[in-house]
Amino acid sequence: MLAVAAAVGSGHLVAGVVSPGSSPYLAVGDTVIRFAPEWLTDFAKTTFGTADKSVLLAGMAVVMLVVAAAAGLASRRSHTPAVVVVGVLGVLGLLAVATAPTFALLDVLAPLASLGVGLTVFRRLHALALRTREAPDEPVTAGGVSRRTVLIGSSAAVGVASVGAAVGGQLLGRGAADSRQAVTARLAAARLAARAPAIPASAAFPQLGTPTFLTGNPDFYRIDVALRIPQQTAEQWSMRIHGMVDKEIVLRFDDLFARPLVERTITMTCVSNPVGGNLISTANFVGVDLRDILLEAGVRPGADQLFSTSVDGFTVGTPTSVVMEEGRGAMLAIGMNGEALPPEHGFPVRMVVPGLYGYVSATKWISDMEVTTFDAGQSYWVDRGWAVQGPIKTEARIDVPNGYATVPAGRVTVAGIAWSQPTGIGKVEVRMDGGAWQPAELATDVSGDTWRMWRTDFQLAPGSHTVQARATDAAGRTQTEASADVVPDGATGWPATIFSVA
Ligand SMILES: Nc1nc2c(c(=O)[nH]1)N[C@H]1C(S)=C(S)[C@@H](COP(=O)(O)O)O[C@H]1N2
Ligand SMILES: [Mo]
């Protein structure tokens, strides 16, 4: 039991230093919640309310102590049963951390520390206990302290250190989480200069198997090269705008709140999204207009690149002309779907520019912006061979039927999404087995900056079928049939799905 406590405590401590979300104990709890059946999470919510997570964590502690006690009793002679149990618990912690949606590479440190400490503490205490059982009163120090006293003292020390480590980890990791909670409360109380219009129910039909219009924060696609999720507080945040400007500006978090806060519904897309891929999501972002801030700074002529840097060192080069376009809606965002930005999506501040792929526009954990030229420096992904300009390409995706699904003969619904930010979708056409293109029914339009759902029906006989789709933007430009890989500037081609009718 002491070994398990030491494992949990040390993991929590290391996580507090590296990244609080990587605490193996908390990660296992989150994993249980993620994979729990809906009836169980509903039951927990109605029974325990907001204490549901604490109840789960306490329950986990009880289960672990019972398992540890049993393993201890089974290890009165050989250390094997307990080593296996501590090892399995440690590996579960590691798996929970590694599969978390918030995982970043250095997150492995906490569960590895946990595993190492758990095994070491067990082996040491177990060996000491075995020797004590043979000769409890044998003096082991010059002062005549008995082996039994050493065992009791060591056990007490491990117990105290475990609790201390857990508390320490909790205190160390609290800053950013508390700050984020405060920002969420502040956003809820803030009077926005402009709210995003409510999403009409007719803008989506998730019951068909297409996405909900707004993507929940935990489901929002995530792409970054961060080794750990930066743990900055809003109070620590600042961003300097400098370079080819008339006047340098240093923004602090409160300065953002002092400006008009606007809410915009924006579909973000990753350049690495293959045809048919899911690196695309939609959220209501709250933030300030980046164009207005740059107008105040006074961008000098010729400065065609906004070179932004994240606290993790990642860099992004955004075309100045796009950000300065009137009505484009480029923003420094602080809110996402009614809360502060989640840590993994850039808390406290990120950039969002409608119509540009994320790698040239969506700097998370932003900390600096140099107004410069494209000739003067290359951003992270441009340096690695990706295109300098990253406008989002018009694409359609088929969501139903699933590839290789078998559906009943008769009327078959084909449905999906299409996007062409910031222009918007004007038409989606679908064809079956190379036949004539037929227009799909489009869901209610929300904005050119967002995706648009589409659906249509076909009368189908049994056999194998191939359905294709193509989107046309609101300006009448149809997506190209030419299929291209994601490198260097985004995938193209008509999506196709092969399925069976039985
Ligand atoms: N700091 C930082 N910001 C980043 C990235 C990154 O690796 N690090 N990736 C970019 C890429 S490629 C994309 S597609 C978007 C993804 O944002 P999301 O993870 O919030 O969906 O963030 C962009 N901003
Ligand atoms: Mo991306």
Side-chain angles (χ1 to χ4, degrees):
M1 288 164 85
L2 285 168
V4 168
V8 168
S10 56
H12 208 64
L13 178 62
V14 174
V17 177
V18 179
S19 165
S22 67
S23 162
Y25 186 58
L26 299 184
V28 168
D30 285 337
T31 307
V32 170
I33 295 173
R34 215 144 41 92
F35 290 108
E38 205 170 317
W39 62 264
L40 188 59
T41 42
D42 285 348
F43 167 81
K45 274 213 180 69
T46 46
T47 317
F48 306 114
T50 51
D52 56 350
K53 203 161 165 183
S54 313
V55 171
L56 170 69
L57 292 175
M60 271 169 48
V62 171
V63 169
M64 275 164 58
L65 287 178
V66 169
V67 169
L73 289 172
S75 303
R76 295 177 75 85
R77 256 168 218 92
S78 150
H79 61 244
T80 312
V83 166
V84 168
V85 164
V86 173
V88 166
L89 287 177
V91 169
L92 285 180
L94 184 61
L95 285 176
V97 169
T99 57
T102 56
F103 177 75
L105 198 58
L106 289 181
D107 286 6
V108 297
L109 292 180
L112 285 181
S114 206
L115 184 57
V117 168
L119 290 175
T120 308
V121 164
F122 177 76
R123 293 295 297 264
R124 293 275 172 105
L125 284 182
H126 188 254
L128 183 58
L130 289 188
R131 266 179 277 129
T132 306
R133 190 167 58 193
E134 277 153 23
D137 299 318
E138 184 189 336
V140 289
T141 66
V145 175
S146 73
R147 190 155 263 145
R148 179 191 284 120
T149 310
V150 172
L151 177 62
I152 292 171
S154 309
S155 302
V158 167
V160 170
S162 303
V163 173
V167 171
Q170 190 65 20
L171 293 177
L172 283 171
R174 216 178 45 184
D178 284 358
S179 171
R180 187 171 173 264
Q181 224 168 28
V183 171
T184 296
R186 215 170 151 186
L187 278 172
R191 193 204 304 261
L192 301 192
R195 282 220 169 267
I199 309 293
S202 54
F205 27 69
Q207 68 281 3
L208 292 186
T210 46
T212 53
F213 198 87
L214 294 175
T215 315
N217 289 350
D219 299 324
F220 202 96
Y221 86 89
R222 175 182 163 218
I223 295 284
D224 54 63
V225 295
L227 289 178
R228 59 184 279 266
I229 292 175
Q231 297 298 321
Q232 240 186 339
T233 66
E235 295 70 34
Q236 287 163 339
W237 181 83
S238 75
M239 171 177 146
R240 193 163 73 99
I241 300 174
H242 59 105
M244 295 170 70
V245 290
D246 297 333
K247 184 184 88 178
E248 268 193 33
I249 291 183
V250 176
L251 288 169
R252 318 235 359 142
F253 201 73
D254 280 344
D255 300 330
L256 301 182
F257 263 99
R259 307 183 69 93
L261 285 172
V262 292
E263 185 184 39
R264 296 192 176 119
T265 310
I266 297 167
T267 298
M268 279 184 44
T269 313
C270 181
V271 67
S272 302
N273 192 40
V275 173
N278 56 11
L279 298 178
I280 177 163
S281 303
T282 303
N284 279 329
F285 289 97
V286 171
V288 298
D289 250 304
L290 183 54
R291 176 176 185 267
D292 291 350
I293 297 172
L294 289 171
L295 284 175
E296 283 169 32
V299 174
R300 297 249 171 93
D304 55 3
Q305 176 174 223
L306 301 174
F307 192 85
S308 54
T309 306
S310 158
V311 288
D312 71 340
F314 183 75
T315 55
V316 167
T318 311
T320 311
S321 58
V322 174
V323 171
M324 296 311 283
E325 238 174 64
E326 216 182 328
R328 169 67 71 142
M331 60 204 292
L332 289 177
I334 57 176
M336 183 173 177
N337 289 330
E339 42 182 275
L341 288 175
E344 68 275 20
H345 292 294
F347 181 81
V349 185
R350 79 174 305 169
M351 238 168 93
V352 181
V353 184
L356 297 182
Y357 286 126
Y359 80 109
V360 291
S361 71
T363 325
K364 305 194 269 192
W365 316 293
I366 193 170
S367 63
D368 187 88
M369 179 176 288
E370 184 185 355
V371 180
T372 179
T373 63
F374 279 113
D375 286 340
Q378 291 191 339
S379 55
Y380 187 92
W381 285 116
V382 173
D383 211 21
R384 286 157 180 78
W386 295 74
V388 171
Q389 309 274 337
I392 294 175
K393 296 178 178 177
T394 304
E395 269 289 335
R397 186 182 81 188
I398 302 166
D399 289 343
V400 279
N402 277 321
Y404 304 107
T406 300
V407 297
R411 212 173 69 175
V412 174
T413 297
V414 179
I417 62 176
W419 62 92
S420 182
Q421 310 96 308
T423 310
I425 289 295
K427 181 168 74 172
V428 173
E429 296 163 293
V430 187
R431 72 174 178 187
M432 194 63 71
D433 304 318
W437 288 104
Q438 68 176 60
E441 180 192 327
L442 293 178
T444 303
D445 191 28
V446 169
S447 127
D449 297 336
T450 62
W451 54 20
R452 196 154 178 197
M453 317 297 170
W454 55 266
R455 59 166 296 173
T456 189
D457 294 332
F458 287 89
Q459 204 61 40
L460 292 181
S464 172
H465 295 277
T466 301
V467 63
Q468 286 174 290
R470 65 177 187 197
T472 299
D473 72 11
R477 291 169 297 224
T478 300
Q479 72 172 93
T480 174
E481 177 181 11
S483 102
D485 189 19
V486 295
V487 189
D489 60 359
T492 60
W494 296 339
T497 295
I498 301 173
F499 63 100
S500 298
V501 168

